[in-house]
Amino acid sequence: MQTSISGVEIELQFFNEATLRVIKHPKGKDFIKQSLSVILKPLPTKLVIKEEGNILSVRSSKLQVFLDLKDGKISFFDLDKHLLLTEKHAGTDFTDFDDAGSKTYTVSQCFLLEKEEEIYGLGQQQEGKMSKRNTKLNMIQGNTDDYIPFMLSSKGYGVFWDNYSPTVFEDNATNTYFKSEVGDGVDYYFMYGGNADTVVSSMRMLTGKAPMFPLWTFGFWQSRERYKSQDELVDVVKKFRELQVPLDGIIQDWQYWGNNYLWNAMEFLNPAFYDPKKMVDEVHGLNAHMIISIWNSFGPNTKTYKSLDKIDALFNFITWPESGVEKFPVNKEYPSGVRVYDAFNPFARDIYWDDLNKGIFSLGMDGWWMDSSEPDHLDAKTTDFDTKTYLGSFRKVRNAFPLMTVGGVAEHQLKESNDKRIFILTRSAFAGQQRYGANTWSGDVNASWKALRNQISAGLNFSLSGIPYWNSDIGGFFLWDFKKPLTNLDYRELHVRWMEFGTFCPMMRSHGEGVPRELYHFGKKGNPTYDAIEKYIHLRYSLLPYIYATSWDVTSKNSSMMRALVMDFDNDKNALNINDEFMFGKSILVAPVTEAMYWKNLTKDDTVTPIEDYSVVKTKEVYLPNGTNWFDFWTGESIQGGQRIKKEAPLDIIPLYIKAGTILPFGPKVQFATEKKWDDLEVRVYEGADGEFTLYEDENDNYNYQKGMYTNIKFSWNNKSRTLTINDRKGAFSGMLNDRKFNIVFVSKNKGVGAELISKYDKVVSYSGKKIIIAKD
């Protein structure tokens, strides 16, 4: 449907029953756009269209829209005529703009929100806030801030502003608006679902579904800035194996290529990496996986730089590193000459992959750590944004850079081989990036209690922006606030609390600069810090059957792994703006400890040697959402929801609560994710409500699951009849288990719950794929 009102062309385009695209542009001007984010094509949608007076109404089976033919204002309603969102009167603006020689506009659109409404999403910011009401954001990609112009409302709708230029988002007492520096028109998508899960699902349907990660990516990861030789890296994996502490991934950070003039050569030119194939093979021989740092910029002495320069695919603005001299402080008298490549250029992306494939992927590397994917843009000047890209000025497409560079690697790798699922860890993101097998980390955050707390809302809003995989550097990247951090008791507690939080993030990875963070640098077995770190690594592996099943929900049902409380408790107003709790999957409530319990400001005097005394136990206040009962994970105690409680939180305890009706599988004790098959699982039943859980299994890597090669086993708990049903196994794949045991535990107060596997079970059943009904005595 298209019409012209007051010199503005307006087009309403339904993509499906719940998703509508709105396009506005000045009359007489062409609007031709191939979205970088949106990949869904409009589906045939049955519509009822009426015109009454000055109002044009369009109704689908899930949504109705009213267009005021007099002033062009658009309003969105549900089928019961409840107002969801409306544009502000005269809220669309086009301002003539010369974008590096191209005539275009600065564009904006204002909306009106209800006073009690909360909004979420918009990417990741380090503000410590869940709701984005009364917020102004200058949306230009940065190291620790990722911007995705998608907002999700507590009223059950979402708006995706499909623009890639620097954008201001603001919500204030007058209105809510997006304003972008460059645009041939206003272009946004409205989607209605009634709840956050459905809206996120609509965003994924629009911009791409998230594929499965390999099982090993959900194990524990260790990295450091940086391992300085291949021997040092391999020795870390060996040390974990000697200590019998689980590990699945090791990461090599920068400078394996040599000096800064060889920046990101995508070859091992540093002599300390004398036999990279041997290094990768040794890591694999230790049953671990390896990924490696790659950047989006190149030093002037690299082959890739020279190839890109020939096709004019290098930008001229200042990026990291500024100096060719590797020691600090930065010496700008010896400029590095490093330049960012034009990821918008398909021929440049071809060159990038060809060199990466020959230099590193061919060695058997398991994945990529794409650093500076925003990219680093230092001392930014207005003229820098005039830089030409393959798709126009850098200003026009600036925020979509991470989408293009991550997508370039993913698409090329998939063409090269589908034996290995794509896994990319990256520092920045844009709408649609989930379709490329990418996990975003929160950037180079400084270690502090405030930073730890801020990670929670940062990760949750990122997930609410449609991208489900996220993590932070466990322990914080920089250690500016701590002297002698490994012996500083305040930092030791912070590191443990961050490790506890990281256990319940989609990726669990310890990383940082300055001092090494491997657990054995914090002491030996028997030391409280060491023991707490080890405890949570083991707990992570115990939860792998639950985590992998949740990841299947992410792929198959567009679900989310790290869930803001609004996703599951939108009827509980007390839960809508809580910024230090979340659901991990749909069953586990996590309330990280985000302030020092023991050692705050204790170790400023280096002449005093404090003693690790954890005899005093403090408490953390936790809100348990209404509408369900909860079980304390550690004690098995049942607690009614809708109240605030205090939970004792000694060093090795993070408050965890399991939703009534949960069926929670526990995996075997292992040293790596695939060491043992899941043929002897413990299954914990948390009574008090009906519940379901589906155990998902496949070949753990490759893309055969997309061909239907996987199995599901559905467990159902009927609270009234007190019966657990294990249904028929569905599906098949090569190497699947035909026979197994399930060890059933009905959780109750003080009955052997918590991190450890239970030694005495209520029921032990043999299962060969056929339905079993188990009655609780």
Side-chain angles (χ1 to χ4, degrees):
M1 293 149 287
Q2 190 166 350
T3 188
S4 177
I5 303 173
S6 301
V8 176
E9 296 283 349
I10 301 175
E11 182 177 354
L12 305 181
Q13 186 178 29
F14 273 84
F15 272 55
N16 54 42
E17 292 84 355
T19 302
L20 170 70
R21 183 186 186 188
V22 176
I23 301 171
K24 300 181 181 182
H25 60 92
K27 187 176 181 179
K29 302 290 184 179
D30 292 332
F31 183 85
I32 301 171
K33 176 180 174 182
Q34 177 63 53
S35 178
L36 300 178
S37 294
V38 175
I39 60 173
L40 182 69
K41 302 299 181 186
L43 301 173
T45 305
K46 185 177 180 180
L47 302 172
V48 177
I49 304 172
K50 294 182 180 179
E51 185 174 338
E52 296 180 1
N54 290 325
I55 301 298
L56 175 70
S57 68
V58 185
R59 179 188 177 111
S60 73
S61 62
K62 295 184 179 179
L63 174 68
Q64 50 187 343
V65 183
F66 293 89
L67 171 62
D68 190 317
L69 297 173
K70 189 174 181 180
D71 65 9
K73 183 179 76 172
I74 300 172
S75 301
F76 305 89
F77 292 78
D78 67 15
L79 296 184
D80 294 323
K81 294 188 178 180
H82 296 133
L83 178 64
L84 299 170
L85 177 69
T86 184
E87 295 180 344
K88 187 176 181 179
H89 174 70
T92 308
D93 186 71
F94 306 96
T95 303
D96 289 341
F97 176 64
D98 188 303
D99 178 30
S102 296
K103 300 296 183 181
T104 185
Y105 305 94
T106 293
V107 296
S108 63
Q109 178 65 58
C110 295
F111 303 95
L112 298 177
L113 274 62
E114 290 187 354
K115 184 178 179 181
E116 300 300 320
E117 187 176 353
E118 304 290 358
I119 53 174
Y120 309 94
L122 299 169
Q124 165 202 274
Q125 294 89 47
Q126 307 288 329
E127 298 178 315
K129 296 172 58 177
M130 272 309 305
S131 177
K132 298 300 183 182
R133 295 307 303 262
N134 303 307
T135 296
K136 184 175 183 178
L137 301 174
N138 185 25
M139 304 178 80
I140 303 177
Q141 307 290 22
N143 181 320
T144 59
D145 293 325
D146 297 330
Y147 293 104
I148 300 168
F150 171 77
M151 70 175 190
L152 186 152
S153 168
S154 58
K155 293 170 67 175
Y157 70 81
V159 174
F160 171 47
W161 179 258
D162 193 13
N163 188 289
Y164 325 118
S165 70
T167 296
V168 172
F169 168 85
E170 184 172 7
D171 174 76
N172 55 44
T174 305
N175 54 222
T176 304
Y177 70 88
F178 291 95
K179 182 178 182 179
S180 294
E181 289 189 15
V182 182
D184 292 333
V186 164
D187 186 5
Y188 71 88
Y189 294 79
F190 179 91
M191 52 205 84
Y192 178 62
N195 58 63
D197 260 317
T198 308
V199 175
V200 167
S201 178
S202 294
M203 183 62 174
R204 299 246 195 93
M205 293 300 293
L206 194 66
T207 62
K209 301 183 75 170
M212 287 289 287
F213 283 147
L215 177 61
W216 51 266
T217 65
F218 296 111
F220 179 66
W221 285 81
Q222 184 65 59
S223 55
R224 187 196 300 175
E225 193 287 294
R226 58 188 165 91
Y227 298 117
K228 296 183 179 179
S229 71
Q230 69 179 68
D231 292 334
E232 184 179 39
L233 180 143
V234 173
D235 284 346
V236 169
V237 184
K238 289 179 178 177
K239 185 69 171 177
F240 270 83
R241 295 290 179 250
E242 290 168 8
L243 294 171
Q244 295 188 316
V245 176
L247 178 74
D248 261 277
I250 190 83
I251 309 178
Q252 176 58 46
D253 207 339
W254 59 4
Q255 293 186 331
Y256 59 88
W257 50 69
N259 63 53
N260 286 356
Y261 300 110
L262 294 170
W263 188 265
N264 196 35
M266 299 195 292
E267 291 183 82
F268 291 88
L269 302 176
N270 183 332
F273 296 85
Y274 52 88
D275 191 342
K277 182 66 167 67
K278 179 187 177 191
M279 173 181 62
V280 175
D281 289 345
E282 284 188 298
V283 169
H284 289 166
L286 291 163
N287 296 300
H289 293 81
M290 181 177 174
I291 68 174
I292 195 163
S293 172
I294 55 175
W295 287 59
N296 303 285
S297 52
F298 296 90
N301 291 347
T302 63
K303 293 185 295 185
T304 311
Y305 179 105
K306 295 169 184 174
S307 298
L308 292 167
D309 199 27
K310 287 180 181 177
I311 64 167
D312 196 25
L314 292 169
F315 300 152
N316 285 319
F317 55 73
I318 298 172
T319 193
W320 178 266
E322 294 181 81
S323 176
V325 180
E326 295 170 37
K327 67 180 183 179
F328 289 92
V330 172
N331 188 339
K332 297 183 181 180
E333 293 183 4
Y334 296 90
S336 67
V338 172
R339 295 166 68 186
V340 173
Y341 92 109
D342 184 359
F344 302 96
N345 185 326
F347 304 105
R349 296 196 298 270
D350 289 344
I351 291 170
Y352 190 108
W353 173 256
D354 287 344
D355 288 349
L356 182 61
N357 184 24
K358 294 171 186 174
I360 300 181
F361 188 60
S362 62
L363 301 174
M365 195 63 64
D366 298 302
W368 314 108
W369 183 9
M370 296 190 71
D371 211 336
S372 186
S373 54
E374 60 275 0
D376 277 311
H377 184 189
L378 307 179
D379 301 326
K381 302 178 181 64
T382 301
T383 52
D384 290 349
F385 290 92
D386 292 341
T387 297
K388 294 293 185 182
T389 78
Y390 190 82
L391 297 180
S393 75
F394 187 54
R395 181 183 296 103
K396 180 179 180 181
V397 293
R398 193 265 175 273
N399 282 342
F401 186 95
L403 175 69
M404 301 305 291
T405 190
V406 169
V409 170
E411 289 174 348
H412 280 90
Q413 182 179 324
L414 194 58
K415 290 177 182 177
E416 185 73 25
S417 170
N418 61 10
D419 294 333
K420 183 182 296 188
R421 292 179 197 167
I422 293 164
F423 180 67
I424 298 172
L425 175 63
T426 186
R427 196 170 78 183
S428 192
F430 194 72
Q433 201 157 305
Q434 71 280 351
R435 65 182 182 254
Y436 292 129
N439 183 109
T440 303
W441 97 94
S442 61
D444 300 336
V445 298
N446 184 38
S448 71
W449 289 99
K450 180 180 179 182
L452 170 58
R453 184 183 180 91
N454 289 351
Q455 297 316 295
I456 301 170
S457 56
L460 294 174
N461 273 306
F462 187 81
S463 186
L464 286 167
S465 302
I467 305 182
Y469 291 112
W470 176 95
N471 74 293
S472 63
D473 290 343
I474 290 176
F477 182 73
F478 292 114
L479 297 173
W480 295 328
D481 296 344
F482 296 95
K483 295 179 180 180
K484 301 178 181 178
L486 292 179
T487 56
N488 182 303
L489 296 183
D490 191 17
Y491 179 72
R492 289 168 73 87
E493 183 185 358
L494 174 63
H495 189 90
V496 168
R497 299 301 188 181
W498 212 312
M499 182 69 70
E500 293 169 356
F501 166 61
T503 303
F504 298 93
C505 290
M507 184 182 187
M508 184 183 187
R509 180 182 66 104
S510 175
H511 180 65
E513 65 84 42
V515 297
R517 311 295 175 86
E518 293 81 10
L519 84 164
Y520 46 83
H521 291 291
F522 291 90
K524 298 180 179 180
K525 202 170 184 67
N527 175 278
T529 302
Y530 179 101
D531 289 350
I533 295 171
E534 182 183 17
K535 173 180 177 176
Y536 280 88
I537 295 174
H538 280 294
L539 177 56
R540 175 73 172 198
Y541 281 82
S542 295
L543 292 171
L544 282 182
Y546 173 78
I547 293 171
Y548 204 50
T550 302
S551 75
W552 173 243
D553 278 347
V554 170
T555 294
S556 62
K557 299 178 182 177
N558 293 322
S559 187
S560 299
M561 185 173 289
M562 192 174 177
R563 303 171 61 81
L565 297 186
V566 69
M567 300 194 82
D568 298 289
F569 307 100
D570 55 347
N571 290 324
D572 185 348
K573 291 185 178 180
N574 294 321
L576 297 186
N577 205 17
I578 290 178
N579 63 358
D580 63 347
E581 299 177 23
F582 61 97
M583 296 295 292
F584 185 60
K586 295 182 179 179
S587 297
I588 304 175
L589 186 143
V590 185
V593 175
T594 57
E595 60 181 18
M597 293 286 188
Y598 298 99
W599 306 113
K600 191 173 184 180
N601 300 320
L602 187 62
T603 55
K604 300 298 183 184
D605 185 351
D606 288 342
T607 65
V608 176
T609 304
I611 300 171
E612 288 192 86
D613 178 7
Y614 297 96
S615 58
V616 177
V617 177
K618 297 188 179 182
T619 61
K620 155 92 177 181
E621 185 176 86
V622 180
Y623 178 71
L624 298 178
N626 203 2
T628 185
N629 283 355
W630 299 90
F631 286 80
D632 185 312
F633 177 76
W634 304 105
T635 69
E637 178 185 6
S638 178
I639 308 169
Q640 185 176 351
Q643 62 174 319
R644 293 191 174 274
I645 63 168
K646 291 186 180 294
K647 169 65 180 175
E648 289 189 346
L651 182 68
D652 68 337
I653 294 294
I654 179 176
L656 300 173
Y657 295 88
I658 311 300
K659 189 177 179 182
T662 290
I663 302 166
L664 182 63
F666 255 53
K669 191 170 184 178
V670 293
Q671 295 302 298
F672 54 93
T674 57
E675 182 185 12
K676 298 176 184 177
K677 290 182 178 292
W678 296 343
D679 58 350
D680 194 11
L681 291 183
E682 180 179 304
V683 179
R684 301 182 183 180
V685 179
Y686 295 82
E687 304 175 56
D690 293 345
E692 294 180 350
F693 171 79
T694 299
L695 180 68
Y696 171 85
E697 295 170 293
D698 61 17
E699 295 174 24
N700 299 325
D701 210 335
N702 73 46
Y703 288 94
N704 285 341
Y705 75 89
Q706 294 180 342
K707 304 173 184 176
M709 298 181 186
Y710 61 86
T711 61
N712 281 324
I713 302 174
K714 183 179 178 181
F715 294 71
S716 302
W717 169 249
N718 186 306
N719 200 60
K720 184 177 181 180
S721 66
R722 322 292 281 178
T723 55
L724 176 69
T725 301
I726 308 175
N727 290 278
D728 291 344
R729 180 181 58 231
K730 294 184 177 180
F733 63 89
S734 177
M736 71 179 224
L737 289 168
N738 290 308
D739 302 293
R740 67 208 307 167
K741 280 196 310 180
F742 291 121
N743 306 299
I744 313 301
V745 178
F746 298 100
V747 175
S748 60
K749 185 176 180 179
N750 297 323
K751 185 179 178 182
V753 291
E756 296 300 321
L757 297 176
I758 294 171
S759 58
K760 188 176 181 180
Y761 305 113
D762 293 304
K763 301 280 184 179
V764 176
V765 298
S766 297
Y767 179 79
S768 58
K770 296 299 181 182
K771 181 177 179 179
I772 300 174
I773 299 177
I774 304 156
K776 183 185 177 185
D777 293 336

